[in-house]
Amino acid sequence: MELVKHRILVVEDEHEISEVISLYLQREGYDVQIADNGVFAVEFARKEQPDAIILDIELPGKDGVEVCRDLRQLTHAPILFLTCRGEEADKIKGFEAGGDDYIVKPFSPREMVARVQAQLRRYLLLNNTGVSPQIFSFPGLEIDVQQNTVTVDGVVIPLSSKEVRLLVLLAQGKGKTFSLEELFTEVWKSPSLGDPRTVIVHISNLRRKIERDPSDPFYILTVRGIGYKFNESLYV
Ligand code: CA
């Protein structure tokens, strides 16, 4: 369940194709914009900062690879190329230009949606601002993702790797609400098989270690009936 509608830009001059893509993505709750050439695509990306871009290789005027280079000046959002089967050279050029994945025409809409979701998920988790921060600094709390250390009021706090992962995930969400299931899937790297108490217990331990008053948390907030989020007021 997403609380924010993510924006996807589809760059494709064949209307039947862009309509199908748009239909399936909208069905998944995405906000979809269509550009039928590279000029509009770049203009849109500059103004609207889409969360992901589907980019056809064969476009009138500038081709997809050139458009990708232009887009990369503006955004780090995932770019998925649309290409025809067997165009190996195009794929290589596309990756070199900064593309993240390929959707080969004719594609299955479900596979297309799955690929977009996979790219988007990774981007939003690891690369929220376009540059993955290695250190999160909040009043009284510092999380060093690289070193795997958490400092509270200048003192390094020993945390388990699961606790660190939970904390980093929440902090990277910038106030996004995570369900217990999402947290479980991401941190335990397996589909949730059901005991939400695992997450609750770890959050409670984490709070005990980092919160000044664990019964009135400042960093990790409870979203009743859903899960947890990092206190969004701490992001300036
Ligand atoms: Ca085309």
Side-chain angles (χ1 to χ4, degrees), residues 110-134:
R110 284 178 60 192
E111 184 194 336
M112 180 274 296
V113 168
R115 285 185 182 276
V116 170
Q117 284 174 330
Q119 289 295 328
L120 198 51
R121 190 149 154 268
R122 191 155 60 189
Y123 172 64
L124 295 170
L125 279 176
L126 300 176
N127 224 1
N128 226 340
T129 57
V131 180
S132 179
Q134 293 303 306

PDB file of all heavy atoms in Angstrom, residues 110-134:
ATOM      1  N   ARG A 110       1.985  -7.630 -17.441  1.00  0.00           N
ATOM      2  CA  ARG A 110       2.303  -7.957 -16.051  1.00  0.00           C
ATOM      3  C   ARG A 110       3.793  -7.923 -15.790  1.00  0.00           C
ATOM      4  O   ARG A 110       4.245  -7.484 -14.742  1.00  0.00           O
ATOM      5  CB  ARG A 110       1.732  -9.332 -15.682  1.00  0.00           C
ATOM      6  CG  ARG A 110       0.232  -9.269 -15.464  1.00  0.00           C
ATOM      7  CD  ARG A 110      -0.344 -10.606 -15.158  1.00  0.00           C
ATOM      8  NE  ARG A 110       0.238 -11.187 -13.952  1.00  0.00           N
ATOM      9  CZ  ARG A 110       0.073 -12.445 -13.596  1.00  0.00           C
ATOM     10  NH1 ARG A 110      -0.621 -13.261 -14.350  1.00  0.00           N
ATOM     11  NH2 ARG A 110       0.616 -12.902 -12.499  1.00  0.00           N
ATOM     12  N   GLU A 111       4.554  -8.397 -16.778  1.00  0.00           N
ATOM     13  CA  GLU A 111       6.013  -8.360 -16.605  1.00  0.00           C
ATOM     14  C   GLU A 111       6.481  -6.904 -16.594  1.00  0.00           C
ATOM     15  O   GLU A 111       7.338  -6.515 -15.797  1.00  0.00           O
ATOM     16  CB  GLU A 111       6.711  -9.121 -17.731  1.00  0.00           C
ATOM     17  CG  GLU A 111       8.218  -9.174 -17.517  1.00  0.00           C
ATOM     18  CD  GLU A 111       8.998  -9.613 -18.740  1.00  0.00           C
ATOM     19  OE1 GLU A 111       8.427 -10.300 -19.607  1.00  0.00           O
ATOM     20  OE2 GLU A 111      10.182  -9.241 -18.817  1.00  0.00           O
ATOM     21  N   MET A 112       5.890  -6.101 -17.487  1.00  0.00           N
ATOM     22  CA  MET A 112       6.251  -4.680 -17.547  1.00  0.00           C
ATOM     23  C   MET A 112       6.011  -4.023 -16.189  1.00  0.00           C
ATOM     24  O   MET A 112       6.891  -3.349 -15.648  1.00  0.00           O
ATOM     25  CB  MET A 112       5.424  -4.028 -18.667  1.00  0.00           C
ATOM     26  CG  MET A 112       5.625  -2.559 -18.904  1.00  0.00           C
ATOM     27  SD  MET A 112       4.625  -1.494 -17.857  1.00  0.00           S
ATOM     28  CE  MET A 112       2.966  -1.910 -18.388  1.00  0.00           C
ATOM     29  N   VAL A 113       4.832  -4.267 -15.626  1.00  0.00           N
ATOM     30  CA  VAL A 113       4.492  -3.683 -14.329  1.00  0.00           C
ATOM     31  C   VAL A 113       5.477  -4.164 -13.259  1.00  0.00           C
ATOM     32  O   VAL A 113       5.986  -3.369 -12.455  1.00  0.00           O
ATOM     33  CB  VAL A 113       3.028  -4.024 -13.926  1.00  0.00           C
ATOM     34  CG1 VAL A 113       2.776  -3.662 -12.468  1.00  0.00           C
ATOM     35  CG2 VAL A 113       2.044  -3.297 -14.830  1.00  0.00           C
ATOM     36  N   ALA A 114       5.780  -5.461 -13.269  1.00  0.00           N
ATOM     37  CA  ALA A 114       6.694  -6.021 -12.267  1.00  0.00           C
ATOM     38  C   ALA A 114       8.078  -5.383 -12.370  1.00  0.00           C
ATOM     39  O   ALA A 114       8.719  -5.080 -11.359  1.00  0.00           O
ATOM     40  CB  ALA A 114       6.788  -7.535 -12.427  1.00  0.00           C
ATOM     41  N   ARG A 115       8.529  -5.168 -13.600  1.00  0.00           N
ATOM     42  CA  ARG A 115       9.860  -4.551 -13.776  1.00  0.00           C
ATOM     43  C   ARG A 115       9.877  -3.110 -13.280  1.00  0.00           C
ATOM     44  O   ARG A 115      10.825  -2.680 -12.637  1.00  0.00           O
ATOM     45  CB  ARG A 115      10.282  -4.593 -15.254  1.00  0.00           C
ATOM     46  CG  ARG A 115      10.721  -5.966 -15.698  1.00  0.00           C
ATOM     47  CD  ARG A 115      11.234  -5.945 -17.120  1.00  0.00           C
ATOM     48  NE  ARG A 115      11.609  -7.274 -17.531  1.00  0.00           N
ATOM     49  CZ  ARG A 115      12.791  -7.822 -17.276  1.00  0.00           C
ATOM     50  NH1 ARG A 115      13.720  -7.133 -16.650  1.00  0.00           N
ATOM     51  NH2 ARG A 115      13.053  -9.047 -17.668  1.00  0.00           N
ATOM     52  N   VAL A 116       8.829  -2.397 -13.582  1.00  0.00           N
ATOM     53  CA  VAL A 116       8.736  -1.009 -13.114  1.00  0.00           C
ATOM     54  C   VAL A 116       8.720  -0.993 -11.587  1.00  0.00           C
ATOM     55  O   VAL A 116       9.446  -0.227 -10.950  1.00  0.00           O
ATOM     56  CB  VAL A 116       7.474  -0.309 -13.681  1.00  0.00           C
ATOM     57  CG1 VAL A 116       7.256   1.041 -13.013  1.00  0.00           C
ATOM     58  CG2 VAL A 116       7.596  -0.139 -15.194  1.00  0.00           C
ATOM     59  N   GLN A 117       7.917  -1.865 -11.007  1.00  0.00           N
ATOM     60  CA  GLN A 117       7.816  -1.885  -9.546  1.00  0.00           C
ATOM     61  C   GLN A 117       9.149  -2.225  -8.898  1.00  0.00           C
ATOM     62  O   GLN A 117       9.520  -1.640  -7.884  1.00  0.00           O
ATOM     63  CB  GLN A 117       6.751  -2.894  -9.104  1.00  0.00           C
ATOM     64  CG  GLN A 117       5.350  -2.352  -9.325  1.00  0.00           C
ATOM     65  CD  GLN A 117       4.273  -3.369  -9.046  1.00  0.00           C
ATOM     66  OE1 GLN A 117       4.494  -4.570  -9.214  1.00  0.00           O
ATOM     67  NE2 GLN A 117       3.104  -2.897  -8.637  1.00  0.00           N
ATOM     68  N   ALA A 118       9.867  -3.173  -9.486  1.00  0.00           N
ATOM     69  CA  ALA A 118      11.158  -3.575  -8.915  1.00  0.00           C
ATOM     70  C   ALA A 118      12.141  -2.412  -8.936  1.00  0.00           C
ATOM     71  O   ALA A 118      12.823  -2.123  -7.951  1.00  0.00           O
ATOM     72  CB  ALA A 118      11.723  -4.775  -9.682  1.00  0.00           C
ATOM     73  N   GLN A 119      12.194  -1.713 -10.059  1.00  0.00           N
ATOM     74  CA  GLN A 119      13.115  -0.579 -10.180  1.00  0.00           C
ATOM     75  C   GLN A 119      12.733   0.546  -9.225  1.00  0.00           C
ATOM     76  O   GLN A 119      13.570   1.141  -8.567  1.00  0.00           O
ATOM     77  CB  GLN A 119      13.112  -0.031 -11.615  1.00  0.00           C
ATOM     78  CG  GLN A 119      13.764  -0.938 -12.634  1.00  0.00           C
ATOM     79  CD  GLN A 119      15.251  -1.103 -12.388  1.00  0.00           C
ATOM     80  OE1 GLN A 119      15.927  -0.200 -11.896  1.00  0.00           O
ATOM     81  NE2 GLN A 119      15.780  -2.261 -12.704  1.00  0.00           N
ATOM     82  N   LEU A 120      11.444   0.797  -9.189  1.00  0.00           N
ATOM     83  CA  LEU A 120      10.937   1.898  -8.380  1.00  0.00           C
ATOM     84  C   LEU A 120      11.187   1.635  -6.901  1.00  0.00           C
ATOM     85  O   LEU A 120      11.598   2.518  -6.155  1.00  0.00           O
ATOM     86  CB  LEU A 120       9.440   2.017  -8.655  1.00  0.00           C
ATOM     87  CG  LEU A 120       8.734   3.296  -8.299  1.00  0.00           C
ATOM     88  CD1 LEU A 120       9.456   4.500  -8.883  1.00  0.00           C
ATOM     89  CD2 LEU A 120       7.302   3.253  -8.832  1.00  0.00           C
ATOM     90  N   ARG A 121      10.957   0.409  -6.513  1.00  0.00           N
ATOM     91  CA  ARG A 121      11.109   0.039  -5.111  1.00  0.00           C
ATOM     92  C   ARG A 121      12.550   0.239  -4.672  1.00  0.00           C
ATOM     93  O   ARG A 121      12.833   0.810  -3.625  1.00  0.00           O
ATOM     94  CB  ARG A 121      10.695  -1.426  -4.965  1.00  0.00           C
ATOM     95  CG  ARG A 121      10.578  -1.888  -3.588  1.00  0.00           C
ATOM     96  CD  ARG A 121       9.495  -2.960  -3.519  1.00  0.00           C
ATOM     97  NE  ARG A 121       9.761  -3.824  -2.397  1.00  0.00           N
ATOM     98  CZ  ARG A 121      10.467  -4.928  -2.483  1.00  0.00           C
ATOM     99  NH1 ARG A 121      10.953  -5.318  -3.651  1.00  0.00           N
ATOM    100  NH2 ARG A 121      10.687  -5.651  -1.421  1.00  0.00           N
ATOM    101  N   ARG A 122      13.467  -0.226  -5.524  1.00  0.00           N
ATOM    102  CA  ARG A 122      14.880  -0.094  -5.180  1.00  0.00           C
ATOM    103  C   ARG A 122      15.279   1.384  -5.115  1.00  0.00           C
ATOM    104  O   ARG A 122      15.970   1.819  -4.212  1.00  0.00           O
ATOM    105  CB  ARG A 122      15.718  -0.826  -6.218  1.00  0.00           C
ATOM    106  CG  ARG A 122      17.156  -0.961  -5.818  1.00  0.00           C
ATOM    107  CD  ARG A 122      17.781  -2.136  -6.481  1.00  0.00           C
ATOM    108  NE  ARG A 122      17.720  -1.992  -7.941  1.00  0.00           N
ATOM    109  CZ  ARG A 122      18.049  -2.960  -8.773  1.00  0.00           C
ATOM    110  NH1 ARG A 122      18.423  -4.119  -8.329  1.00  0.00           N
ATOM    111  NH2 ARG A 122      18.000  -2.766 -10.064  1.00  0.00           N
ATOM    112  N   TYR A 123      14.777   2.126  -6.105  1.00  0.00           N
ATOM    113  CA  TYR A 123      15.111   3.552  -6.169  1.00  0.00           C
ATOM    114  C   TYR A 123      14.590   4.281  -4.939  1.00  0.00           C
ATOM    115  O   TYR A 123      15.302   5.068  -4.310  1.00  0.00           O
ATOM    116  CB  TYR A 123      14.497   4.137  -7.438  1.00  0.00           C
ATOM    117  CG  TYR A 123      14.605   5.643  -7.551  1.00  0.00           C
ATOM    118  CD1 TYR A 123      15.844   6.257  -7.656  1.00  0.00           C
ATOM    119  CD2 TYR A 123      13.465   6.439  -7.582  1.00  0.00           C
ATOM    120  CE1 TYR A 123      15.938   7.629  -7.776  1.00  0.00           C
ATOM    121  CE2 TYR A 123      13.553   7.811  -7.711  1.00  0.00           C
ATOM    122  CZ  TYR A 123      14.796   8.395  -7.801  1.00  0.00           C
ATOM    123  OH  TYR A 123      14.884   9.756  -7.927  1.00  0.00           O
ATOM    124  N   LEU A 124      13.353   4.003  -4.580  1.00  0.00           N
ATOM    125  CA  LEU A 124      12.749   4.738  -3.471  1.00  0.00           C
ATOM    126  C   LEU A 124      13.374   4.355  -2.139  1.00  0.00           C
ATOM    127  O   LEU A 124      13.488   5.171  -1.240  1.00  0.00           O
ATOM    128  CB  LEU A 124      11.238   4.513  -3.439  1.00  0.00           C
ATOM    129  CG  LEU A 124      10.499   5.085  -4.654  1.00  0.00           C
ATOM    130  CD1 LEU A 124       9.060   4.608  -4.675  1.00  0.00           C
ATOM    131  CD2 LEU A 124      10.559   6.606  -4.673  1.00  0.00           C
ATOM    132  N   LEU A 125      13.779   3.121  -2.017  1.00  0.00           N
ATOM    133  CA  LEU A 125      14.383   2.694  -0.759  1.00  0.00           C
ATOM    134  C   LEU A 125      15.810   3.200  -0.605  1.00  0.00           C
ATOM    135  O   LEU A 125      16.204   3.676   0.445  1.00  0.00           O
ATOM    136  CB  LEU A 125      14.409   1.165  -0.665  1.00  0.00           C
ATOM    137  CG  LEU A 125      13.119   0.502  -0.224  1.00  0.00           C
ATOM    138  CD1 LEU A 125      13.291  -1.012  -0.292  1.00  0.00           C
ATOM    139  CD2 LEU A 125      12.763   0.912   1.197  1.00  0.00           C
ATOM    140  N   LEU A 126      16.582   3.069  -1.678  1.00  0.00           N
ATOM    141  CA  LEU A 126      18.013   3.331  -1.537  1.00  0.00           C
ATOM    142  C   LEU A 126      18.418   4.710  -2.011  1.00  0.00           C
ATOM    143  O   LEU A 126      19.480   5.193  -1.698  1.00  0.00           O
ATOM    144  CB  LEU A 126      18.819   2.296  -2.335  1.00  0.00           C
ATOM    145  CG  LEU A 126      18.601   0.854  -1.912  1.00  0.00           C
ATOM    146  CD1 LEU A 126      19.371  -0.075  -2.816  1.00  0.00           C
ATOM    147  CD2 LEU A 126      19.028   0.663  -0.463  1.00  0.00           C
ATOM    148  N   ASN A 127      17.559   5.310  -2.783  1.00  0.00           N
ATOM    149  CA  ASN A 127      18.016   6.462  -3.552  1.00  0.00           C
ATOM    150  C   ASN A 127      16.993   7.577  -3.526  1.00  0.00           C
ATOM    151  O   ASN A 127      16.776   8.246  -4.505  1.00  0.00           O
ATOM    152  CB  ASN A 127      18.212   5.995  -5.006  1.00  0.00           C
ATOM    153  CG  ASN A 127      19.483   6.528  -5.583  1.00  0.00           C
ATOM    154  OD1 ASN A 127      20.221   7.226  -4.905  1.00  0.00           O
ATOM    155  ND2 ASN A 127      19.728   6.222  -6.833  1.00  0.00           N
ATOM    156  N   ASN A 128      16.423   7.741  -2.365  1.00  0.00           N
ATOM    157  CA  ASN A 128      15.259   8.609  -2.271  1.00  0.00           C
ATOM    158  C   ASN A 128      15.456   9.999  -2.845  1.00  0.00           C
ATOM    159  O   ASN A 128      14.585  10.556  -3.480  1.00  0.00           O
ATOM    160  CB  ASN A 128      14.841   8.717  -0.813  1.00  0.00           C
ATOM    161  CG  ASN A 128      13.356   8.551  -0.670  1.00  0.00           C
ATOM    162  OD1 ASN A 128      12.631   8.721  -1.651  1.00  0.00           O
ATOM    163  ND2 ASN A 128      12.893   8.230   0.504  1.00  0.00           N
ATOM    164  N   THR A 129      16.619  10.568  -2.642  1.00  0.00           N
ATOM    165  CA  THR A 129      16.840  11.928  -3.113  1.00  0.00           C
ATOM    166  C   THR A 129      17.654  11.934  -4.397  1.00  0.00           C
ATOM    167  O   THR A 129      18.084  12.972  -4.860  1.00  0.00           O
ATOM    168  CB  THR A 129      17.632  12.720  -2.069  1.00  0.00           C
ATOM    169  OG1 THR A 129      18.845  11.999  -1.837  1.00  0.00           O
ATOM    170  CG2 THR A 129      16.866  12.847  -0.784  1.00  0.00           C
ATOM    171  N   GLY A 130      17.903  10.757  -4.951  1.00  0.00           N
ATOM    172  CA  GLY A 130      18.723  10.696  -6.145  1.00  0.00           C
ATOM    173  C   GLY A 130      20.153  10.367  -5.773  1.00  0.00           C
ATOM    174  O   GLY A 130      20.879   9.766  -6.516  1.00  0.00           O
ATOM    175  N   VAL A 131      20.567  10.736  -4.580  1.00  0.00           N
ATOM    176  CA  VAL A 131      21.898  10.393  -4.099  1.00  0.00           C
ATOM    177  C   VAL A 131      21.682   9.658  -2.783  1.00  0.00           C
ATOM    178  O   VAL A 131      21.057  10.180  -1.876  1.00  0.00           O
ATOM    179  CB  VAL A 131      22.750  11.645  -3.839  1.00  0.00           C
ATOM    180  CG1 VAL A 131      24.134  11.247  -3.328  1.00  0.00           C
ATOM    181  CG2 VAL A 131      22.866  12.479  -5.087  1.00  0.00           C
ATOM    182  N   SER A 132      22.148   8.434  -2.722  1.00  0.00           N
ATOM    183  CA  SER A 132      21.892   7.648  -1.531  1.00  0.00           C
ATOM    184  C   SER A 132      22.727   8.171  -0.365  1.00  0.00           C
ATOM    185  O   SER A 132      23.941   8.142  -0.403  1.00  0.00           O
ATOM    186  CB  SER A 132      22.260   6.192  -1.812  1.00  0.00           C
ATOM    187  OG  SER A 132      22.036   5.439  -0.666  1.00  0.00           O
ATOM    188  N   PRO A 133      22.085   8.707   0.648  1.00  0.00           N
ATOM    189  CA  PRO A 133      22.875   9.264   1.740  1.00  0.00           C
ATOM    190  C   PRO A 133      23.547   8.153   2.533  1.00  0.00           C
ATOM    191  O   PRO A 133      22.954   7.103   2.762  1.00  0.00           O
ATOM    192  CB  PRO A 133      21.861  10.013   2.589  1.00  0.00           C
ATOM    193  CG  PRO A 133      20.532   9.476   2.212  1.00  0.00           C
ATOM    194  CD  PRO A 133      20.646   8.779   0.902  1.00  0.00           C
ATOM    195  N   GLN A 134      24.760   8.379   2.922  1.00  0.00           N
ATOM    196  CA  GLN A 134      25.497   7.380   3.682  1.00  0.00           C
ATOM    197  C   GLN A 134      25.399   7.657   5.177  1.00  0.00           C
ATOM    198  O   GLN A 134      25.628   6.798   5.983  1.00  0.00           O
ATOM    199  CB  GLN A 134      26.966   7.348   3.245  1.00  0.00           C
ATOM    200  CG  GLN A 134      27.144   6.844   1.826  1.00  0.00           C
ATOM    201  CD  GLN A 134      26.556   5.456   1.619  1.00  0.00           C
ATOM    202  OE1 GLN A 134      26.875   4.525   2.348  1.00  0.00           O
ATOM    203  NE2 GLN A 134      25.665   5.305   0.651  1.00  0.00           N
TER     204      GLN A 134
END
